[in-house]
């Protein structure tokens, strides 16, 4: 399996390029996972479905929040056996089949700013602050992911690709010393990603294969960060060949 991550804003033109790629016979088993694609891109995916019936174009979006939208594009070599839609535009899971080969794939999006919040709730009083709302949204999406994984047969390989908007360790981020102290304080916050990995029995594929390479995918004037992940379940008996991943 080959995996690639592109930190690019989805557009009608870009989605059409992905469709053209997937429709080529050599790429018919490829899968594209998209997050935070926006309402205009959802319309573009609807259009792709009508133009290319053999292409599997699946999406989930939230009517009340246009930024909450995820999608999965799968090549025509696959058959779609089951779809699980979280209903929030932040999670979409699917079981794909090709002959006797099965694969479970999910696309997920967590809200930004999680590095400054942490999985474990602090005493925030009775007022629902912005951090409280963001934390609750992240927990809801992770709960949907965990429920989906729990519903899968124990022998079925799963892959989760998503914009988790959180760095796991200092290696995952480049920033000023002052900002690094905020992101990674002396009393370290419990990470959403780490908690999910532990609960789901998954591994961080990039960090497993590249333990000393930062792997930054987002760059701005404040530095760089690795916020997108592919994850799989724990390693199988073959060394360095995980059978289920979270990316």
């Amino acid at each position: 399996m080959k995996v690639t991550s592109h930190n690019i804003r989805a557009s009608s033109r870009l989605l059409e390029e992905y469709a053209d790629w997937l429709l080529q016979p050599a790429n018919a088993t490829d899968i594209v996972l998209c997050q935070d694609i926006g309402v205009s891109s959802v319309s573009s995916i609807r259009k792709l479905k009508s133009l290319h019936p053999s292409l599997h174009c699946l999406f989930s979006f939230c009517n009340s929040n246009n930024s909450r939208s995820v999608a999965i594009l799968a090549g025509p070599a696959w058959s779609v056996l089951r779809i699980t839609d979280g209903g929030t535009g932040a999670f979409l899971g699917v079981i794909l089949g090709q002959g006797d080969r099965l694969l479970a794939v999910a696309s997920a999006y967590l809200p930004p700013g999680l590095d400054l919040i942490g999985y474990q709730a602090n005493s925030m009083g009775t007022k629902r602050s912005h951090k409280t709302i963001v934390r609750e949204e992240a927990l809801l999406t992770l709960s949907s992911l965990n429920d989906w994984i729990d519903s899968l047969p124990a022998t079925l390989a799963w892959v989760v690709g998503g914009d988790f908007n959180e760095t796991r360790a200092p290696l995952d981020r480049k920033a000023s010393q002052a900002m690094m102290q905020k992101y990674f304080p002396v009393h370290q916050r419990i990470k959403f990603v780490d908690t999910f990995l532990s609960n789901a029995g998954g591994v961080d594929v990039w960090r497993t294969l590249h333990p000393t390479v930062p792997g930054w995918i987002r760059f701005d004037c404040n530095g760089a960060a690795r916020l997108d992940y592919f994850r799989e379940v724990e390693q199988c008996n073959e060394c360095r060949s995980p059978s289920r991943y979270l990316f």
Side-chain angles (χ1 to χ4, degrees), residues 166-196:
E166 185 182 45
T167 50
R168 299 184 60 202
L171 180 62
D172 297 320
R173 183 176 288 276
K174 178 183 180 182
S176 66
Q177 183 176 357
M179 289 305 299
M180 290 297 285
Q181 289 175 350
K182 288 185 177 181
Y183 290 129
F184 302 98
V186 175
H187 300 290
Q188 181 65 274
R189 302 180 184 91
I190 298 175
K191 296 289 185 177
F192 290 87
V193 172
D194 291 344
T195 303
F196 171 68

Side-chain angles (χ1 to χ4, degrees), residues 13-90:
R13 178 190 59 79
L14 182 61
L15 289 171
E16 289 173 1
E17 289 180 1
Y18 280 143
D20 290 341
W21 171 270
L22 293 170
L23 289 169
Q24 296 177 25
N27 308 321
T29 58
D30 286 1
I31 303 166
V32 177
L33 307 181
C34 306
Q35 302 88 34
D36 193 22
I37 60 176
V39 65
S40 60
S41 292
V42 169
S43 299
S44 298
I45 291 176
R46 286 196 176 106
K47 183 179 178 181
L48 287 180
K49 291 180 67 174
S50 63
L51 291 175
H52 308 290
S54 64
L55 189 66
H56 304 294
C57 304
L58 314 171
F59 61 88
S60 173
F61 69 98
C62 180
N63 285 318
S64 61
N65 189 338
N66 289 340
S67 70
R68 298 296 179 264
S69 47
V70 294
I72 298 175
L73 308 180
W78 294 101
S79 297
V80 177
L81 304 180
R82 192 180 84 184
I83 301 172
T84 304
D85 186 343
T88 61

Side-chain angles (χ1 to χ4, degrees), residues 29 77-79 81 95-104 153 155-157:
T29 58
W78 294 101
S79 297
L81 304 180
I95 296 179
L96 301 171
Q98 183 189 23
D100 58 356
R101 178 187 182 191
L102 298 178
L103 178 66
T155 57
L156 180 59

Side-chain angles (χ1 to χ4, degrees), residues 63-222:
N63 285 318
S64 61
N65 189 338
N66 289 340
S67 70
R68 298 296 179 264
S69 47
V70 294
I72 298 175
L73 308 180
W78 294 101
S79 297
V80 177
L81 304 180
R82 192 180 84 184
I83 301 172
T84 304
D85 186 343
T88 61
F91 162 74
L92 179 65
V94 61
I95 296 179
L96 301 171
Q98 183 189 23
D100 58 356
R101 178 187 182 191
L102 298 178
L103 178 66
V105 180
S107 182
Y109 175 83
L110 267 60
L114 297 182
D115 271 327
L116 300 177
I117 297 175
Y119 182 87
Q120 190 173 19
N122 296 320
S123 177
M124 300 180 182
T126 57
K127 185 178 179 181
R128 281 174 53 80
S129 66
H130 173 70
K131 285 187 175 181
T132 302
I133 295 172
V134 170
R135 180 179 179 275
E136 290 175 351
E137 181 181 339
L139 291 177
L140 178 62
T141 301
L142 292 178
S143 177
S144 296
L145 266 175
N146 282 316
D147 289 345
W148 176 74
I149 291 171
D150 289 342
S151 73
L152 300 174
T155 57
L156 180 59
W158 56 260
V159 177
V160 176
D163 184 353
F164 280 72
N165 276 310
E166 185 182 45
T167 50
R168 299 184 60 202
L171 180 62
D172 297 320
R173 183 176 288 276
K174 178 183 180 182
S176 66
Q177 183 176 357
M179 289 305 299
M180 290 297 285
Q181 289 175 350
K182 288 185 177 181
Y183 290 129
F184 302 98
V186 175
H187 300 290
Q188 181 65 274
R189 302 180 184 91
I190 298 175
K191 296 289 185 177
F192 290 87
V193 172
D194 291 344
T195 303
F196 171 68
L197 286 174
S198 177
N199 292 340
V203 297
D204 178 346
V205 175
W206 175 266
R207 189 55 65 225
T208 299
L209 298 176
H210 307 281
T212 62
V213 180
W216 301 321
I217 54 88
R218 178 176 177 177
F219 300 85
D220 57 32
C221 59
N222 296 315

